[in-house]
């Protein structure tokens, strides 16, 4: 964890973006009940959270089986690991999988805050608070803490 002294023109959004943490994490770390901050105030910046775990492939594993075990989809695993649909999984290789309690979505053309929020079954506000930046360009990884 780091400390940050609020400067003129700072907002929770700009600070969260600069430190690549969500607004929610920033508010929780500092026991804030509103987004109001004052120049000179010292904020605790939470340590950047790791969002992946590793899964060691076993004989006869498939992406679908691994996805089911890790509460995600085969498509997310493919995209996270740079795999193609026809790639073979070799025993003892490691795959990135979402950490427990996190859900991932990789954006595609035509997505909106509303459509991604619906995918996670949450509000737009929660989606924005869970991600430091949302650009809605294809292939952006968005997360949601369940």
């Amino acid at each position: 964890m780091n400390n940050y002294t609020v400067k003129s023109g700072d907002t929770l959004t700009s600070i969260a973006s600069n430190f690549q943490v969500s607004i929610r994490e920033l508010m929780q770390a500092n026991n804030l009940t509103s987004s109001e901050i004052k120049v000179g105030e010292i904020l605790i910046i939470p340590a950047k959270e790791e969002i992946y775990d590793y899964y060691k492939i076993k004989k006869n594993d498939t992406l679908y089986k691994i996805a089911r075990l890790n509460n995600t989809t085969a498509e997310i695993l493919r995209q996270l690991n740079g795999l193609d649909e026809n790639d073979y999984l070799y025993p003892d290789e490691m795959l990135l999988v979402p950490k427990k309690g996190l859900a991932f979505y990789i954006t595609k053309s035509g997505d909106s805050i509303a459509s991604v929020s619906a995918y996670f079954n949450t509000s737009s506000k929660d989606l924005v608070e869970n991600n430091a930046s949302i650009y809605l360009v294809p292939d952006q990884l968005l997360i949601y803490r369940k």
Side-chain angles (χ1 to χ4, degrees):
M1 291 204 191
N2 295 316
N3 290 335
Y4 176 78
T5 304
V6 177
K7 297 174 181 56
S8 179
D10 280 343
T11 64
L12 278 185
T13 302
S14 67
I15 295 167
S17 180
N18 287 341
F19 288 97
Q20 297 183 331
V21 297
S22 72
I23 295 168
R24 176 186 285 174
E25 291 168 319
L26 198 53
M27 289 180 74
Q28 287 175 341
N30 292 281
N31 294 319
L32 299 174
T33 56
S34 77
S35 60
E36 290 183 35
I37 53 176
K38 296 180 179 127
V39 172
E41 185 175 356
I42 297 174
L43 296 178
I44 297 168
I45 307 299
K48 181 129 173 82
E49 162 188 14
E50 290 296 317
I51 59 173
Y52 305 109
D53 275 330
Y54 295 92
Y55 178 85
K56 189 174 185 178
I57 299 171
K58 299 172 190 77
K59 185 177 179 178
N60 298 322
D61 269 346
T62 65
L63 274 183
Y64 296 98
K65 178 181 174 185
I66 297 166
R68 197 171 47 252
L69 289 171
N70 289 279
N71 199 28
T72 191
T73 66
E75 184 59 26
I76 292 287
L77 291 180
R78 260 192 225 93
Q79 290 178 310
L80 286 178
N81 292 281
L83 298 172
D84 155 306
E85 219 169 286
N86 299 317
D87 283 343
Y88 183 75
L89 299 178
Y90 295 95
D92 298 327
E93 279 187 332
M94 301 297 275
L95 285 180
L96 290 174
V97 297
K99 274 201 176 278
K100 296 221 182 297
L102 293 179
F104 289 9
Y105 179 78
I106 299 175
T107 57
K108 52 191 173 298
S109 183
D111 277 339
S112 66
I113 295 286
S115 67
V116 177
S117 297
Y119 172 84
F120 286 125
N121 195 27
T122 191
S123 70
S124 297
K125 181 179 183 261
D126 278 350
L127 178 65
V128 170
E129 287 177 353
N130 271 271
N131 293 275
S133 302
I134 300 177
Y135 300 107
L136 294 176
V137 295
D139 298 325
Q140 181 185 8
L141 176 69
L142 298 178
I143 63 169
Y144 181 70
R145 286 159 189 79
K146 298 178 186 178

